[in-house]
Amino acid sequence: MKGLYTALMCSFDEQGNVNEKGLREIVRYNIEVSEVDGLYVNGSTGENFLISTEQKKQIFEIVKDEVGDQVKLIAQVGSLNIEEASDLAKFVTDLGYDAISAVTPFYYKFDFEEIKDYYNTILEGVDTQLIIYSIPALTGVNMNLEQFGELFENEKIIGVKFTAPDFFLLERLRHAFPDKLIYSGFDEMLLSASVLNVDGAIGSTFNVNGKRAKQIFTLAQGGKIDEAREIQKVTNDLIEEILNNGLYQTIKEMLKTQGVNAGFVRKPMKQLTEERAIKARELAKKYL
C-alpha cells in the first residue's frame, strides 16, 4: 500500500451527472501517463461531498471496473451520515477495494470519543483496512499523538492521510508508529514530509503532476535532497498558479488539453471564465 496515490477527479456533465467515459479517461491518464501507484477515490478532489450516495457507488464501480488489479485502490467512504459511511464501506469491500478511508466527522464539534466510535462503527462487520483522513483546516478536528494512538488500537486502522502542516506531530507519529502507513496530504509539502520518511502521498495535483511527485518522493528516499528540492520548486510554481486560477476547474481544463474528457465541476462550484480557461490551457502547455 505504499507509494503515490492520486486523489482522483471525477468527470461530470453540465447537469452534474457522472460522465462515465470521462471518468474512465481520467483513470487511464493517471495510470498510463502519471504512472501513480494507486488511486484515492471519492475524496475531496472527487467532489465527494457534493454528490449523492448512488453517484458515489456509481463512481466506485466504474473505477474498479476500469482499474481491475492494475494499481491499488483506496475508497473514501467518510460521511456525516454514519449509516451511509457504513453502507459504502461494505459496498467497496465487496467490490474488492484494497482499503477504505474516512474523513474525520466534521461541522459539529464532536469530542474524541464520538470520533473514535465513528471509526469503529464504520469497521464493524467489514473485513477491510481503514486509513484515517485527517485534514484539520477543513474539518476543525485536531487530534494529538495519544488520540491517534487510541485509534490505532483498532487493528483494522492501518494508517493516516495526514493533510496538515504540523511537521512536529508528523515526526512524532512516524517515530511512535513505525508500522502504520503515513501518507502526506499536502502536495506542496511533499518533500518536507518525505524527509520525515512517510510511506507515500495522496494528492489532488497528481492528476496532472504525478510524475514530478513521484520523482520528489523517490529522490528524497534516496537522500538526493537537492535534486528533489528543484523538482518541488517547479511543482510549487505549478500549484501556486493552479490555486490562483481555481483548483479543480483548472486541473480539469489542463486534463482536457491532453485529450481527457474531464468534464465540469458540480454546483455550487462555478465553471472557469474564458479568461481563466485560457490560463489553464497555458499552464498545461508550460508544465505538461
Side-chain angles (χ1 to χ4, degrees), residues 194-211:
S194 298
V195 170
L196 293 175
N197 200 29
V198 294
D199 297 293
I202 300 169
S204 304
T205 61
F206 298 175
N207 281 279
V208 291
N209 197 53
K211 283 188 175 181

Side-chain angles (χ1 to χ4, degrees), residues 21-74:
K21 183 175 183 295
L23 176 55
R24 289 180 183 273
E25 289 177 6
I26 294 172
V27 169
R28 293 255 58 86
Y29 185 87
N30 272 285
I31 294 173
E32 295 170 2
V33 179
S34 295
E35 299 178 347
V36 293
D37 301 300
L39 302 174
Y40 186 88
V41 186
N42 274 337
S44 310
T45 310
E47 300 168 61
N48 172 76
F49 304 110
L50 303 177
I51 60 178
S52 69
T53 304
E54 290 310 309
Q55 286 176 313
K56 293 174 187 181
K57 289 182 176 181
Q58 182 184 5
I59 292 164
F60 283 136
E61 285 181 318
I62 293 168
V63 174
K64 179 59 181 175
D65 180 68
E66 185 64 33
V67 171
D69 297 321
Q70 284 185 277
V71 297
K72 296 291 186 181
L73 292 175
I74 301 172

Side-chain angles (χ1 to χ4, degrees), residues 23-283:
L23 176 55
R24 289 180 183 273
E25 289 177 6
I26 294 172
V27 169
R28 293 255 58 86
Y29 185 87
N30 272 285
I31 294 173
E32 295 170 2
V33 179
S34 295
E35 299 178 347
V36 293
D37 301 300
L39 302 174
Y40 186 88
V41 186
N42 274 337
S44 310
T45 310
E47 300 168 61
N48 172 76
F49 304 110
L50 303 177
I51 60 178
S52 69
T53 304
E54 290 310 309
Q55 286 176 313
K56 293 174 187 181
K57 289 182 176 181
Q58 182 184 5
I59 292 164
F60 283 136
E61 285 181 318
I62 293 168
V63 174
K64 179 59 181 175
D65 180 68
E66 185 64 33
V67 171
D69 297 321
Q70 284 185 277
V71 297
K72 296 291 186 181
L73 292 175
I74 301 172
Q76 199 295 124
V77 302
S79 170
L80 276 179
N81 183 328
I82 199 161
E83 286 82 11
E84 180 192 45
S86 296
D87 178 45
L88 291 174
K90 293 179 175 67
F91 184 78
V92 296
T93 299
D94 291 342
L95 283 177
Y97 273 67
D98 298 283
I100 63 173
S101 181
V103 67
T104 51
F106 53 91
Y107 187 81
Y108 300 101
K109 294 187 181 299
F110 299 103
D111 65 29
F112 178 69
E113 289 304 313
E114 291 169 325
I115 292 169
K116 185 164 67 170
D117 181 67
Y118 161 86
Y119 283 113
N120 291 338
T121 299
I122 291 172
L123 286 165
E124 284 177 4
V126 179
D127 185 20
T128 193
Q129 299 174 317
L130 181 141
I131 295 155
I132 300 160
Y133 179 12
S134 177
I135 181 166
L138 295 184
T139 62
V141 178
N142 284 281
M143 293 188 292
N144 60 37
L145 186 66
E146 291 72 24
Q147 290 170 333
F148 275 110
E150 280 194 49
L151 294 178
F152 288 150
E153 288 174 6
N154 185 328
E155 62 182 17
K156 291 181 179 179
I157 299 180
I158 61 170
V160 57
K161 180 189 177 193
F162 189 89
T163 309
D166 187 345
F167 284 92
F168 176 68
L169 177 57
L170 178 59
E171 187 278 332
R172 294 289 82 193
L173 281 169
R174 177 74 294 166
H175 177 76
F177 306 106
D179 297 327
K180 297 296 183 180
L181 292 168
I182 301 178
Y183 300 97
S184 170
F186 273 137
D187 305 3
E188 62 271 30
M189 302 178 190
L190 176 56
L191 173 56
S192 303
S194 298
V195 170
L196 293 175
N197 200 29
V198 294
D199 297 293
I202 300 169
S204 304
T205 61
F206 298 175
N207 281 279
V208 291
N209 197 53
K211 283 188 175 181
R212 287 193 188 92
K214 202 162 190 179
Q215 287 173 336
I216 293 166
F217 185 61
T218 302
L219 288 167
Q221 285 183 314
K224 298 179 180 178
I225 304 303
D226 287 341
E227 293 177 49
R229 187 186 298 115
E230 288 300 314
I231 300 171
Q232 185 71 69
K233 190 268 180 190
V234 175
T235 289
N236 285 359
D237 288 343
L238 170 59
I239 290 172
E240 185 174 33
E241 295 204 68
I242 287 175
L243 291 175
N244 287 338
N245 202 56
L247 176 58
Y248 304 136
Q249 299 93 326
T250 299
I251 293 174
K252 287 189 175 187
E253 190 66 28
M254 291 176 72
L255 284 170
K256 289 176 187 176
T257 70
Q258 305 304 297
V260 177
N261 183 2
F264 301 85
V265 291
R266 283 181 57 90
K267 290 183 177 180
M269 292 186 190
K270 60 186 178 183
Q271 309 304 329
L272 291 178
T273 63
E274 182 56 28
E275 181 182 0
R276 287 180 180 253
I278 291 170
K279 176 64 176 178
R281 292 191 285 271
E282 289 173 350
L283 291 179

